[in-house]
């Protein structure tokens, strides 16, 4: 990918984006495809394996509340979801600059996957039936999406926004897997004889 020269002159670190991606060995591509197919099947059928992966993001989400607590209540509440999505995004950027498609795909896949539990939380904004986790005492627990949608005047649209978020999550996961397949097949190592 060629970037405008003015960009790379001002920001030399962007030159890494002009380098070729590392290839994805066919065996690795097959293993990744089996993993993603298994994960998507488990997710679609409501099995437990995806929930175990989601548990990795619980401390990240809660840490976001603590990290952004210095900037007022709204940013503190929003900070949980922000960090939950920023962590895989920033890791994907790291792998992008290293030109490692398998790392990018893994991080972007879980960035989009996290939209599903976020959508579940959004859809609960009015009902507030889900059990809530918190850091510290349980006396001041705030339902993130009830609070944020309420402040933005969107509380009456919680389920519609959640549905759109869920669709975006599924489309993003599928697109990520397709991108990895395309990247793996287009840059597959060729045999020396050219066959």
């Amino acid at each position: 990918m060629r970037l405008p020269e003015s960009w790379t002159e001002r920001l030399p670190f962007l030159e890494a984006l002009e380098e070729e991606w590392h290839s994805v060995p066919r065996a690795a591509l097959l293993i990744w495809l089996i993993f993603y197919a298994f994960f998507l099947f488990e997710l679609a059928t409501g099995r437990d394996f995806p929930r175990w992966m989601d548990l990795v993001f619980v401390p990240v989400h809660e840490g976001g509340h603590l990290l952004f607590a210095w900037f007022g209540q709204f940013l503190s509440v929003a900070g949980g979801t922000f960090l939950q999505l920023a962590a895989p995004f920033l890791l994907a950027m790291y792998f992008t600059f290293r030109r490692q498609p398998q790392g990018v795909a893994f991080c972007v896949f879980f960035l989009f996957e996290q939209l599903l539990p976020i959508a579940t939380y959004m859809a609960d904004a009015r009902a507030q039936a889900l059990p809530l986790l918190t850091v510290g005492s349980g006396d001041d627990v705030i339902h993130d999406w009830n609070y944020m949608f309420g402040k933005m005047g969107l509380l009456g649209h919680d389920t519609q926004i959640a549905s759109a978020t869920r669709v975006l999550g599924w489309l993003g996961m599928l697109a990520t897997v397709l991108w990895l397949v395309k990247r793996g097949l287009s840059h597959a190592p060729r045999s020396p004889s050219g066959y």
Side-chain angles (χ1 to χ4, degrees):
M1 172 169 103
R2 298 296 305 162
L3 296 173
E5 199 171 311
S6 60
W7 292 13
T8 55
E9 284 176 2
R10 289 190 185 111
L11 305 166
F13 69 91
L14 292 178
E15 289 177 7
L17 297 177
E18 294 179 337
E19 295 176 15
E20 287 292 318
W21 286 92
H22 292 259
S23 64
V24 179
R26 291 279 168 111
L29 181 60
L30 179 62
I31 291 168
W32 279 115
L33 290 177
I34 290 169
F35 169 77
Y36 291 126
F38 170 75
F39 192 90
L40 290 168
F41 174 78
E42 291 278 304
L43 199 56
T45 56
R47 306 272 171 95
D48 287 335
F49 181 70
R51 290 190 195 112
W52 288 103
M53 295 297 284
D54 289 341
L55 290 176
V56 171
F57 288 92
V58 170
V60 174
H61 178 97
E62 293 305 318
H65 293 312
L66 296 175
L67 183 65
F68 289 93
W70 298 94
F71 304 106
Q73 186 167 19
F74 187 86
L75 289 180
S76 175
V77 172
T81 301
F82 176 78
L83 195 60
Q84 183 177 354
L85 296 174
F89 174 79
L90 293 173
L91 286 168
M93 288 294 92
Y94 168 79
F95 288 116
T96 298
F97 278 91
R98 307 257 316 161
R99 311 312 277 166
Q100 297 175 347
Q102 298 167 79
V104 171
F106 185 80
C107 295
V108 171
F109 182 88
F110 281 101
L111 166 71
F112 283 110
E113 188 275 336
Q114 281 304 291
L115 292 178
L116 303 185
I118 289 169
T120 299
Y121 198 8
M122 287 175 167
D124 186 59
R126 279 180 288 175
Q128 296 189 58
L130 290 174
L132 301 178
L133 298 172
T134 186
V135 177
S137 71
D139 299 333
D140 55 351
V141 177
I142 294 175
H143 189 294
D144 295 1
W145 289 102
N146 176 276
Y147 176 82
M148 289 189 292
F149 284 158
K151 288 288 186 184
M152 294 185 285
L154 298 171
L155 192 56
H157 302 284
D158 59 349
T159 55
Q160 292 102 335
I161 296 169
S163 294
T165 302
R166 189 171 285 108
V167 168
L168 180 62
W170 276 101
L171 291 175
M173 286 186 291
L174 294 172
T176 301
V177 173
L178 291 175
W179 177 83
L180 181 63
V181 169
K182 180 181 180 285
R183 176 78 35 211
L185 295 178
S186 67
H187 289 87
R190 301 204 186 324
S191 65
S193 63
Y195 293 108

